Amino acid sequence: MPKKVFLSLQYPQLAIDMLEQAGFDITINKSNNPIPREELIHICKDYDALLSTGSNKIDAHFLKSSQHLDIISQFAVGYDNIDVQAAKQYGIVIGNAPGAMTEATADVAFGLMIMVSRKMVHMHKTIEKGQWKHFVPTANLGFELDGKTLGVFGLGTIGMVKAKRCKAAYGMDIIYHNRSRNQEAEGTLNAQYVSFDELLAQSDVISVHCNLTEETKGLFDKNAFGKMKNSAVFINTARGGIHNETDLIAALKNGSIWGAGLDVTDPEPMQPNNPLLQMENVAVLPHIGSSTVEARNEMARMSAQNIIDFYKTGKIPYPVT
Ligand code: 8YV
């Protein structure tokens, strides 16, 4: 009997082709609407493996109710939605897709930085509102990135690509705060390791590229924004839970910081009446970090390969441990 795999959404055709060619019996949620958790638990009862995404909350309750699953392969690099310890306890293997969206996400972080520094989203809106009347020498002023200091919080794979882009394009000075030192960045980009408080105090742009964990949850709060330069821009393309959104709104309103660019919000999706969307020095995107053909295909390949290899060899190429 072929193993049965449930695909919680319509993933790229590459994943479907790979799984079909490997002989799996697959079912796809073609509606593309996320399946509510209890319903997904119920559906999974008939399957051996699940290909899922970051929006499925795979907590202890889910895992306890789905103990029969052999493997959950996540179509994402982040796995903060999964209780990995509980999965271990129930013997369910977890896989992800590390590195698949590195360039794509770094590009979004880079783009947001430029959009915010030149108020591009707001400027676009002024035309829509019929407010582009005539040239005003002192209006619409942004700031230049050339020679400014980029502070990377979480200098891993994505943070490194963002730092490289900023160094190459603008000769930015790179400082970073991380759990461990990044020798490559220090060697090739002359990046300097600093304490969290130094990162806050010295950066013109802070770019967040860490995982959401108990330590990073809500780390960028009133206190942190208060320590940043009044002229600084806060960029987050990692997880919305790393910043406190109420505190961010207040920091932008009271001028603690100058601007913000977000590809991730808390909660997601952001509601259309969120005050951030009305602010001049803010750009918000609907979590599109990995939305390129290249990244999504690589995510598809890696997440399908995890399932294929698991049943072939008992080992997976991209495990979450
Ligand atoms: C996904 C992401 O869009 O991979 C990640 O961790 O945040 C994005 O690539 C999202 O999580 C869907 O799984």
Side-chain angles (χ1 to χ4, degrees):
M1 280 272 283
K3 293 291 179 186
K4 291 179 75 177
V5 184
F6 186 71
L7 278 61
S8 70
L9 291 170
Q10 174 93 50
Y11 295 105
Q13 191 59 38
L14 178 65
I16 297 162
D17 290 347
M18 283 174 68
L19 290 167
E20 278 180 347
Q21 276 160 25
F24 290 98
D25 175 358
I26 68 168
T27 305
I28 306 165
N29 167 25
K30 289 203 172 130
S31 79
N32 255 342
N33 291 322
I35 300 172
R37 191 171 61 144
E38 290 307 319
E39 201 183 313
L40 187 59
I41 289 173
H42 183 73
I43 291 170
C44 281
K45 297 213 178 301
D46 287 333
Y47 292 86
D48 302 296
L50 171 67
L51 205 164
S52 71
T53 187
S55 50
N56 296 122
K57 194 168 164 56
I58 310 223
D59 58 5
H61 166 70
F62 184 102
L63 292 156
K64 189 172 182 208
S65 316
S66 310
Q67 291 177 45
H68 63 285
L69 285 176
D70 298 318
I71 173 167
I72 298 175
S73 188
Q74 168 112 319
F75 183 81
V77 62
Y79 49 84
D80 47 282
N81 60 314
I82 302 178
D83 186 335
V84 178
Q85 285 316 313
K88 259 191 206 137
Q89 189 187 331
Y90 298 118
I92 303 169
V93 170
I94 306 291
N96 69 341
M101 69 296 295
T102 301
E103 310 289 329
T105 307
D107 279 345
V108 167
F110 189 77
L112 280 169
M113 178 181 74
I114 302 173
M115 284 161 79
V116 174
S117 69
R118 300 297 300 275
K119 307 175 185 239
M120 287 185 186
V121 174
H122 171 69
M123 293 302 144
H124 177 102
K125 285 195 221 165
T126 60
I127 303 174
E128 278 181 346
K129 290 180 194 156
Q131 293 167 349
W132 185 11
K133 302 284 188 206
H134 51 82
F135 173 67
V136 181
T138 55
N140 304 335
L141 304 186
F143 71 90
E144 294 176 22
L145 292 159
D146 209 72
K148 295 284 190 317
T149 297
L150 172 75
V152 182
F153 185 75
L155 192 57
T157 325
I158 299 174
M160 184 69 184
V161 174
K162 167 79 189 278
K164 277 185 192 163
R165 298 222 190 318
C166 290
K167 190 68 158 182
Y170 297 115
M172 291 176 87
D173 290 326
I174 313 293
I175 59 176
Y176 73 102
H177 186 73
N178 216 21
R179 278 173 305 183
S180 53
R181 298 284 285 258
N182 184 323
Q183 303 299 346
E184 187 199 346
E186 292 187 16
T188 60
L189 302 175
N190 200 21
Q192 269 181 44
Y193 178 85
V194 292
S195 69
F196 184 52
D197 276 2
E198 285 167 335
L199 188 92
L200 296 172
Q202 293 172 22
S203 302
D204 296 304
V205 176
I206 288 196
S207 205
V208 175
H209 297 285
C210 62
N211 293 329
L212 174 62
T213 63
E214 279 311 312
E215 289 94 65
T216 62
K217 193 169 180 205
L219 190 63
F220 286 86
D221 59 2
K222 186 179 178 208
N223 187 31
F225 294 129
K227 290 178 180 169
M228 285 169 63
K229 291 184 186 177
N230 297 153
S231 55
V233 167
F234 174 75
I235 304 288
N236 189 358
T237 55
R239 285 291 180 268
I242 299 165
H243 65 255
N244 178 314
E245 216 144 276
T246 309
D247 290 357
L248 176 61
I249 292 167
L252 287 159
K253 274 191 183 153
N254 69 29
S256 291
I257 66 170
W258 192 82
L262 307 176
D263 184 44
V264 288
T265 63
D266 188 20
E268 289 183 7
M270 177 181 268
Q271 293 307 299
N273 63 355
N274 191 301
L276 286 168
L277 299 171
Q278 301 310 323
M279 293 184 179
E280 281 192 21
N281 302 354
V282 171
V284 186
L285 300 173
H287 200 149
I288 56 158
S290 67
S291 307
T292 64
V293 172
E294 293 86 347
R296 291 286 162 86
N297 274 338
E298 184 61 354
M299 290 158 79
R301 187 193 67 75
M302 293 170 99
S303 50
Q305 199 66 53
N306 274 334
I307 295 175
I308 294 168
D309 283 14
F310 176 81
Y311 286 108
K312 223 195 237 171
T313 68
K315 284 211 173 116
I316 65 170
Y318 315 109
V320 170
T321 50

